[in-house]
Each structure stands twice: as structure tokens, then as C-alpha cells.
Amino acid sequence: MGFSIRHMAITVVALGITAFTFGILAEQNKPDSGKSLNSNGVITCKYPSDPSPIYGFLSIAFLTASSVIGSYSIFHPYKGRSVPLKDLFCSTTMLVFFQIAVWVSFLAEGMLVWTTVAELVHLTNNVHRDANTKCPTAKTGLFGGAAFMALNASLFWLVCLMLADNARDDYFNEDEENHEGHYGQVLTADYDVKEQAKV
């Protein structure tokens, strides 16, 4: 059974919403800071239970899946019929939205990776010799901002998919009209030849 455009659209949006959800969970569960313990001039940061890196990596995975499937869904030959690239991207709107979807996806991925890795570094490198260490965590708001960027990326892929569907319809309608015109001309010419033969 082949994939339909509707199935692809639902999948892209569902994965984007899941990435957004995990990003928000990472933001909500991230502690503001850890507790510093001083022992012989060495500061050890003790953090409460922090699942935000796990949520961050899950958000990255689902955003990647949403972006890959979103990109694939545009070029997929539905019902075994593909559209040439020049006809698929003949619209300036399609070209612009495709570029926006790509860049927003990269930006969201970058923000998620940077914030998740930063949080993980804070949790694992928790021994410091600086007495002024405040036991920080990743900057507040980065997970949330990246989550919204992930949701935006999936919505841009959805718009691209709808524009690609319109381009497919236009391409195949024009193709059918051209074939119908060609066959009609052949039949008319054939009929004229027969009429002249009778005379």
C-alpha cells in the first residue's frame, strides 16, 4: 500500500508536535541551578533529578524524523507518478517556503542540540575549583524556544507539502489536457481524410 499525501501530512505534523512536546517538557523539568558543596576548596555541584537532556534528545530525534519525512513527502512519487523538479518548483511561493522550512529545521535542530549538550555538560562536569561557581544549568528559555522552532519547522513542511500537491495537480492536469488535445487532432484529421476519400 502506497503512502498518500494525507498520511504524509499527518505524520509530519504529529512528529513535529511530539518534538515540541518533548522540548517543552525539557524546559519545565530543567532545574534553575544546583546546590554547591564546598570541600577543601573544591566546589561540587549537586543537581536534583534532571530528565531534560533525555527530553532534549527525544525532541531532536522527532524533529529530525519530521524534517526528513517532510522533505521526502515533497518528492515522493505518489501513485507511481513523479513530477520533474522544474515543474515542482516553478512557483516562487513553493521555492521560498521550501527554503524557509529547511533553514528553520536546521535552526531548531541547532538550538536543541546546543541546549541539550550544554545541560548535559553542566550535569556531568560538576566539580569546580572556582569558589564563585554558582552551579548553573543551561540558559532558561532555550529549550522552550527550540521547541517552538521545531513546531514551526513541521508547519512549514506541511505548507510545502500542500504547495507541492497543488503543483502535482497542475502538472498532471496540463499533461492530460495535452494528451486529449493531441488525440482529438488525430481523430479530426483522420475523419477529414475519410470524408475526402468518399468524395
Side-chain angles (χ1 to χ4, degrees):
M1 180 179 174
F3 295 108
S4 69
I5 291 178
R6 182 180 178 184
H7 291 144
M8 289 291 199
I10 292 172
T11 303
V12 168
V13 173
L15 290 171
I17 291 173
T18 307
F20 167 76
T21 303
F22 279 122
I24 294 298
L25 287 173
E27 182 66 43
Q28 290 179 339
N29 287 278
K30 183 186 74 66
D32 294 330
S33 62
K35 182 180 180 181
S36 60
L37 304 173
N38 194 336
S39 176
N40 299 324
V42 176
I43 303 296
T44 302
C45 294
K46 187 176 181 181
Y47 293 95
S49 177
D50 184 7
S52 57
I54 295 172
Y55 289 137
F57 283 121
L58 287 171
S59 182
I60 291 167
F62 279 100
L63 173 59
T64 301
S66 176
S67 300
V68 169
I69 293 175
S71 177
Y72 173 76
S73 66
I74 294 171
F75 305 101
H76 180 70
Y78 298 97
K79 297 180 181 177
R81 301 192 301 177
S82 60
V83 179
L85 288 179
K86 64 180 181 66
D87 293 297
L88 192 61
F89 289 97
C90 64
S91 166
T92 304
T93 306
M94 173 63 184
L95 189 60
V96 169
F97 270 94
F98 181 79
Q99 291 177 348
I100 292 173
V102 170
W103 284 109
V104 171
S105 298
F106 276 120
L107 183 59
E109 288 279 5
M111 286 181 67
L112 280 170
V113 170
W114 175 42
T115 311
T116 303
V117 171
E119 183 69 10
L120 201 56
V121 167
H122 286 306
L123 296 178
T124 54
N125 297 337
N126 62 338
V127 178
H128 308 276
R129 296 192 178 277
D130 184 3
N132 296 321
T133 299
K134 302 296 183 183
C135 296
T137 57
K139 191 172 180 181
T140 301
L142 288 180
F143 273 119
F148 277 102
M149 291 296 291
L151 182 61
N152 288 337
S154 67
L155 294 178
F156 275 117
W157 284 119
L158 178 62
V159 172
C160 285
L161 182 55
M162 291 189 292
L163 291 172
D165 188 34
N166 290 340
R168 288 178 61 82
D169 288 342
D170 292 342
Y171 174 77
F172 289 117
N173 285 341
E174 288 178 6
D175 194 39
E176 287 173 5
E177 287 174 5
N178 289 337
H179 280 303
E180 286 176 3
H182 177 71
Y183 292 139
Q185 291 170 0
V186 170
L187 291 174
T188 304
D190 190 37
Y191 177 76
D192 291 341
V193 170
K194 289 180 180 178
E195 287 296 319
Q196 290 176 0
K198 288 180 180 178
V199 175

